[in-house]
Amino acid sequence: MQQSNKRIYLFEVDFFRIVFILGVLANHTTTLVTHKISTHSMPYEILMATHISLHFTRMGFMFVTGLVLFMNNYFKPMQILKFWKKRYLGVLIPYLSWTAILTGAENHSSLGDFLENWAHLSVYADNYYMYYILVTMQLYLIFPLIVWLFKRFLSYHHMIVIISAVVQLGMLVFIKYQLPNIDTSGWPYLLKNYGFNVFVYQFYFIMGGCAAIHYQEFVAFIRKWHIWFGVSSLVFACGTVLLYFYNVHVLNLTLNKAEEVHQPFIFIYDVVIIGYIVWLGLRYADLRKNYLPKWITNFVAIGAKISFGIYLSQTLPLALMFVVLSSLPSGNGWVLLVMLPFIYIITALMGYALSYFFYKVPPFGFLIGRPQHIRKSGQNLNLFVLKFYYSQNYFTT
């Protein structure tokens, strides 16, 4: 940690952000490659069996969101309307912009058809990995209530986390073993599409909030038990392969259900591997000043600032890579499996470079929630009606 303008700069948070967003891209790139491999081949089976181990990145993103929101808002009087105004404007402008861009890339018979599809995507977030934005906006709505809960029960924060974990586990057992047998066709959208519902991720926000409030205690705990977190992460990652075969060959689940993140085993795996990544972030913060090359620390610092933009714009590099793979002759699945790391690196670098371009070149900053200001004749001229910077973490800005 380092004092800067009386604010503590947590370099490990930079690390969390870049690791989780690059993990999200790894997850989605793997999905892309599986679509190009025969479903009756060994390479396909290998990818499907190992793919589920990458899903922790979604929950890691949720954890960091809770951590950062609490760091920014818990330790000062909360003005709810001001909080909502800043957060909703900060996220809605890039969100609506990207839904318009992605909708516009499709074929439309008329302007009315485009507007209808844009409105649908903006409301339901059911394509292009936009669900995270919908979940985040739900979180902003109930966030003041979560803050009140922690402040009201000051002596019971650990109990709140335990209760949240029990509720989370019970909810996942119901989702996996009971919900498939229930007709949900008449249910409200956010209940039948539970992956878009903030309450399915409630534990990770609560855990992030408690970690932020008791940060020194949290850091000490992670440092003490980091070996346990590391070994457990490896064991549970291997266990996800067995889970896949159990889901497919014992429970006879569909591939979508077998790969779903909302499973009790995955919940435990998510918790331990997030703990281990937190330790890696702490080690990064320890080593960054004297032991790591400057290009690495710059890559992490910039990547943290543009991580939200990488998430929003990921469809473009993924789509480009899909076009490239589609133009290649139908090849052996083993070749694509071997090429997967290189495909991922190229996709990740394209996503990083694209968001960095938006970050540095006016007026495109609004696309990643960081609208630029320019200096002219000694004065800052605001290019947009939006008069503030979107920032998920003042500790890293």
Side-chain angles (χ1 to χ4, degrees):
M1 292 182 293
Q2 171 184 311
Q3 285 295 126
S4 177
N5 297 326
K6 299 183 179 180
R7 290 180 176 180
I8 299 175
Y9 194 110
L10 299 177
F11 293 105
E12 59 266 32
V13 176
D14 285 359
F15 183 87
F16 303 158
R17 284 181 164 182
I18 191 64
V19 165
F20 288 129
I21 187 57
L22 291 181
V24 167
L25 278 177
N27 186 4
H28 297 161
T29 303
T30 302
T31 300
L32 178 69
V33 172
T34 58
H35 291 159
K36 306 302 296 180
I37 297 177
S38 171
T39 57
H40 301 291
S41 65
M42 182 62 71
Y44 181 84
E45 196 74 8
I46 291 173
L47 280 181
M48 294 302 293
T50 56
H51 185 203
I52 196 171
S53 65
L54 297 173
H55 284 316
F56 73 89
T57 53
R58 179 191 303 191
M59 307 313 181
F61 233 55
M62 305 300 180
F63 165 78
V64 171
T65 300
L67 179 78
V68 167
L69 279 176
F70 267 81
M71 284 181 168
N72 286 344
N73 297 281
Y74 182 82
F75 300 101
K76 60 185 179 182
M78 189 169 188
Q79 299 175 306
I80 297 177
L81 293 180
K82 184 177 180 180
F83 169 82
W84 282 339
K85 178 183 177 182
K86 175 182 178 181
R87 290 294 170 176
Y88 279 116
L89 284 178
V91 76
L92 278 172
I93 290 177
Y95 173 64
L96 293 176
S97 299
W98 277 106
T99 54
I101 292 170
L102 296 172
T103 303
E106 301 173 355
N107 292 323
H108 300 284
S109 58
S110 65
L111 177 60
D113 184 41
F114 161 77
L115 293 175
E116 180 180 353
N117 291 333
W118 178 37
H120 175 89
L121 179 59
S122 299
V123 172
Y124 294 101
D126 55 358
N127 205 350
Y128 304 114
Y129 305 111
M130 289 294 174
Y131 68 88
Y132 169 73
I133 313 301
L134 183 61
V135 171
T136 301
M137 288 190 285
Q138 295 171 61
L139 175 63
Y140 291 161
L141 183 64
I142 65 173
F143 181 71
L145 180 61
I146 302 176
V147 170
W148 173 87
L149 180 68
F150 275 99
K151 289 186 175 181
R152 174 65 178 81
F153 299 98
L154 284 173
S155 301
Y156 300 96
H157 288 178
H158 292 167
M159 184 59 65
I160 291 173
V161 174
I162 292 172
I163 293 173
S164 175
V166 172
V167 170
Q168 186 77 24
L169 190 58
M171 183 166 37
L172 296 177
V173 169
F174 171 77
I175 287 173
K176 179 168 183 176
Y177 295 103
Q178 296 298 323
L179 192 58
N181 303 318
I182 300 174
D183 180 14
T184 62
S185 58
W187 286 20
Y189 180 75
L190 288 179
L191 289 182
K192 63 182 177 182
N193 295 281
Y194 49 85
F196 298 0
N197 192 318
V198 66
F199 291 105
V200 177
Y201 308 99
Q202 56 84 27
F203 171 76
Y204 304 99
F205 298 128
I206 294 292
M207 181 172 68
C210 189
I213 297 170
H214 306 279
Y215 195 69
Q216 296 304 321
E217 179 183 349
F218 174 70
V219 165
F221 176 80
I222 294 295
R223 289 189 185 276
K224 179 179 180 180
W225 296 102
H226 72 274
I227 295 178
W228 183 90
F229 280 110
V231 173
S232 299
S233 297
L234 180 60
V235 170
F236 278 95
C238 294
T240 61
V241 176
L242 299 179
L243 176 67
Y244 169 78
F245 289 107
Y246 170 74
N247 287 339
V248 172
H249 299 292
V250 177
L251 297 182
N252 296 315
L253 299 179
T254 64
L255 285 178
N256 285 338
K257 291 296 291 183
E259 293 281 328
E260 193 174 59
V261 299
H262 307 294
Q263 302 184 54
F265 184 89
I266 299 300
F267 167 63
I268 301 172
Y269 168 59
D270 289 340
V271 172
V272 295
I273 196 169
I274 288 172
Y276 188 62
I277 289 173
V278 168
W279 180 75
L280 292 177
L282 294 172
R283 290 300 296 150
Y284 166 80
D286 294 338
L287 300 174
R288 63 171 298 281
K289 185 175 182 180
N290 298 318
Y291 298 99
L292 294 178
K294 189 69 175 177
W295 70 267
I296 292 180
T297 58
N298 286 340
F299 179 86
V300 172
I302 295 172
K305 286 182 170 61
I306 62 175
S307 59
F308 183 57
I310 294 174
Y311 185 90
L312 285 167
S313 62
Q314 65 178 305
T315 297
L316 297 185
L318 287 170
L320 180 59
M321 187 55 65
F322 182 81
V323 171
V324 171
L325 293 178
S326 298
S327 66
L328 298 177
S330 298
N332 191 296
W334 290 108
V335 175
L336 287 176
L337 187 62
V338 172
M339 288 176 58
L340 177 57
F342 303 100
I343 295 171
Y344 163 67
I345 290 172
I346 294 171
T347 304
L349 289 177
M350 284 194 297
Y352 190 103
L354 183 64
S355 292
Y356 184 69
F357 172 82
F358 294 148
Y359 176 61
K360 297 297 290 186
V361 180
F364 300 107
F366 74 94
L367 290 174
I368 62 170
R370 291 182 176 273
Q372 296 100 343
H373 293 250
I374 61 173
R375 185 175 298 275
K376 183 178 181 180
S377 301
Q379 297 179 346
N380 285 329
L381 300 179
N382 195 340
L383 293 177
F384 310 99
V385 175
L386 183 63
K387 294 183 179 180
F388 57 84
Y389 287 101
Y390 174 86
S391 172
Q392 293 186 15
N393 179 9
Y394 76 31
F395 287 81
T396 58
T397 56

